[in-house]
Amino acid sequence: MAKMVTDVICPFCGTLCDDLEVSVSDDGTKILDVYNACAIGAEKFLHSQAKDRVTRPRMKQEDGSWKEVTYDEAIEYTAKMLADARKPLMYGWSSTNCEAQAVGTELGEMVGAVMDNTATVCHGSTLIAVQDVGVPSCTLGEILNRADRIVFWGCNPAHAHPRHMSRYSIFPRGFFTGKGAKGRKMVVVDPRVTDTAKTADIHMQVEQGRDFELLTALRVAFKGEWLPDFVGGIPKKTIYEVADVMKSGRFGIIFFGMGVTQSLSKNHNIDQAICVTRDLNEYTKFNIMPMRGHYNVTGSGEVWGWLHGFPYALDLSRGFARYNPGDTTSNDLLMRDEVDSVFVIGSDPGAHFPNSSVKKIWDLPCVCMDPHLTPTTAVCKLHVPVAFVGVETGGCAYRMDNVPIECRKVVDPPEGMPTDLEFLERVVARVKELKGA
Ligand code: SF4
């Protein structure tokens, strides 16, 4: 006999779909099938059942081999590494719940760490732009029910957020959007002909790195003023046409991704995209929203925002909070040899940082707390597997529109395996002992 767990939250991408159904064995130990999720979301649940899953901490030996250790030994190593460090880097935080992020921040305060999350290599520039010029935004529910003008700029939800278009932005019929996709106009701006671009009403195939110019040209076109024949490779006729499409809607949204945040001009692109949105509010209601990747990267920014006022690149090493992206960001610190140990929590810098930074991590004492085997677990000194948040334990996560959602536990973790919150709480207790606090 199987039982069905309903209203399950998918802990994979920032869409945080909340309508999954998971079939579980009667004794509550095995996931049998996952319904309603996209392929990558379903895989996250099924992967927790993998036969080759690592279920005990492993310490790297001198000869490069791995030796299994107990969780008590792992707590001791992690606590000593952090307590002895002059300036540890505590990086990641995007694939865990807000409760663990809060306890981790307490730990960071105690050991004078620099806390950074994965925004440092994705939407950090967005956060800087929001601090510069503010952000007119809304919720995904409002988009489902109201939006008739949708712009995807430098993002490809068909692959990166596979249910975004079917649940919220393009296909569903909402309260004021009863015709579904037929009542919405979709514009995609991307140098590549992506699967998202193929479904658009208008695809502006901007030249690589020319987003800032095109955004500026749109602001000119809103006013009907003069434009050169081409901007960023786009004919002026198309720019005027897109400007008219945006102005003529009742409710619009610009979703943007790393194609704009990490291309030339970085946060200035987002400054300009927010100004485009602000200009459009002279004519209609328009909003802008980043397509956040990890399911709780938004939450880590929120938690640090409440606690210290800054959403990433949070330097606690002087006993008070400092924030200076480009200086207190992970890659800059690693390249300047400014940190002397690394604690990675629920993320994978081994896969996403430049090779030169990964080499620095390899040379330093490094603990990686992650349920998966990743490139980072290969370069760390101690790998601590923990329960999957959203599968084997619950907790709060923030969707890409800053809406907090309570994840559900579906099955028990392997016997004896702590959650990341439990592991962090025990490290905090041990650091307190070591520091005589
Ligand atoms: S779109 Fe994202 S949150 Fe929704 S099921 Fe797929 S991976 Fe999970």
Side-chain angles (χ1 to χ4, degrees):
M1 272 287 283
K3 59 180 179 187
M4 193 68 86
V5 187
T6 57
D7 303 316
V8 176
I9 315 301
C10 173
F12 190 88
C13 81
T15 314
L16 272 184
C17 294
D18 54 6
D19 61 343
L20 273 54
E21 296 184 354
V22 182
S23 151
V24 175
S25 64
D26 214 17
D27 59 1
T29 58
K30 284 242 164 309
I31 292 176
L32 305 175
D33 217 336
V34 182
Y35 302 95
N36 298 342
C38 66
I40 47 178
E43 185 55 30
K44 174 117 188 215
F45 284 86
L46 298 171
H47 181 66
S48 68
Q49 311 287 297
K51 288 204 172 60
D52 59 351
R53 178 170 171 189
V54 176
T55 55
R56 287 290 173 269
R58 304 170 309 142
M59 184 86 78
K60 194 180 275 167
Q61 305 299 295
E62 292 283 321
D63 62 0
S65 63
W66 292 92
K67 182 180 163 219
E68 203 171 285
V69 296
T70 64
Y71 278 100
D72 286 343
E73 288 170 311
I75 288 159
E76 188 65 21
Y77 180 91
T78 310
K80 278 207 169 121
M81 179 190 84
L82 293 171
D84 292 346
R86 188 178 41 83
K87 190 172 183 178
L89 171 64
M90 292 172 65
Y91 172 79
W93 306 104
S94 301
S95 290
T96 186
N97 54 32
C98 294
E99 291 82 348
Q101 289 161 356
V103 172
T105 313
E106 183 188 350
L107 180 59
E109 287 169 19
M110 286 164 57
V111 299
V114 181
M115 315 276 294
D116 201 10
N117 59 34
T118 55
T120 205
V121 285
C122 61
H123 277 284
S125 46
T126 304
L127 300 167
I128 296 171
V130 169
Q131 288 157 346
D132 283 348
V133 287
V135 61
S137 199
C138 61
T139 65
L140 290 176
E142 286 178 276
I143 290 156
L144 157 66
N145 285 306
R146 294 178 184 277
D148 58 354
R149 296 292 184 268
I150 318 288
V151 180
F152 289 112
W153 199 307
C155 55
N156 184 13
H159 286 214
H161 301 81
R163 296 185 72 217
H164 191 281
M165 291 197 289
S166 61
R167 264 180 70 75
Y168 296 112
S169 49
I170 300 295
F171 302 114
R173 295 164 198 267
F175 198 82
F176 300 110
T177 50
K179 292 185 182 159
K182 284 198 184 117
R184 305 184 206 257
K185 283 261 185 243
M186 176 180 172
V187 177
V188 170
V189 187
D190 203 306
R192 298 172 306 143
V193 185
T194 61
D195 284 335
T196 306
K198 285 177 193 160
T199 60
D201 295 295
I202 304 172
H203 174 204
M204 291 206 284
Q205 200 169 357
V206 63
E207 285 170 2
Q208 180 74 42
R210 296 283 167 232
D211 303 273
F212 186 88
E213 288 88 332
L214 187 56
L215 286 159
T216 312
L218 275 172
R219 298 185 69 190
V220 173
F222 294 149
K223 295 190 162 63
E225 291 174 0
W226 180 89
L227 280 175
D229 289 344
F230 289 87
V231 178
I234 308 297
K236 68 176 176 187
K237 182 169 165 287
T238 309
I239 299 171
Y240 285 124
E241 182 191 351
V242 169
D244 282 343
V245 166
M246 291 169 108
K247 280 162 64 177
S248 61
R250 282 181 293 117
F251 190 102
I253 175 85
I254 300 172
F255 290 110
F256 64 96
M258 287 172 63
V260 221
T261 63
Q262 296 297 329
S263 64
L264 284 178
S265 305
K266 291 205 164 185
N267 54 301
H268 298 294
N269 286 334
I270 315 307
D271 282 354
Q272 197 66 320
I274 294 171
C275 290
V276 164
T277 312
R278 203 170 54 193
D279 288 359
L280 280 164
N281 279 285
E282 300 276 326
Y283 309 96
T284 180
K285 172 71 184 149
F286 232 88
N287 308 275
I288 185 164
M289 191 182 297
M291 298 287 274
R292 305 305 298 269
H294 291 71
Y295 72 89
N296 200 25
V297 60
T298 309
S300 57
E302 291 279 346
V303 169
W304 295 348
W306 315 325
L307 294 173
H308 288 291
F310 305 116
Y312 80 116
L314 174 65
D315 182 354
L316 301 170
S317 64
R318 296 189 192 179
F320 57 91
R322 288 173 67 240
Y323 165 75
N324 192 15
D327 173 22
T328 58
T329 24
S330 304
N331 281 298
D332 303 278
L333 292 164
L334 286 164
M335 292 318 298
R336 292 199 309 266
D337 289 319
E338 248 187 65
V339 288
D340 52 357
S341 64
V342 182
F343 187 12
V344 179
I345 304 96
S347 70
D348 191 7
H352 301 119
F353 277 12
N355 211 10
S356 42
S357 293
V358 179
K359 278 186 188 151
K360 302 272 182 180
I361 296 175
W362 169 276
D363 289 337
L364 290 169
C366 173
V367 176
C368 177
M369 187 172 73
D370 198 306
H372 305 89
L373 284 173
T374 66
T376 307
T377 61
V379 300
C380 70
K381 304 288 182 292
L382 171 67
H383 171 209
V384 184
V386 282
F388 279 84
V389 172
V391 181
E392 296 163 342
T393 181
C396 179
Y398 276 73
R399 208 166 58 183
M400 62 169 70
D401 54 353
N402 293 303
V403 171
I405 295 182
E406 197 63 26
C407 296
R408 295 196 70 172
K409 175 178 171 174
V410 177
V411 289
D412 290 327
E415 202 182 331
M417 179 181 282
T419 63
D420 31 15
L421 174 61
E422 288 163 350
F423 186 81
L424 286 166
E425 283 173 338
R426 292 178 65 189
V427 173
V428 167
R430 184 64 186 126
V431 169
K432 276 185 184 156
E433 285 171 12
L434 290 170
K435 288 193 169 274

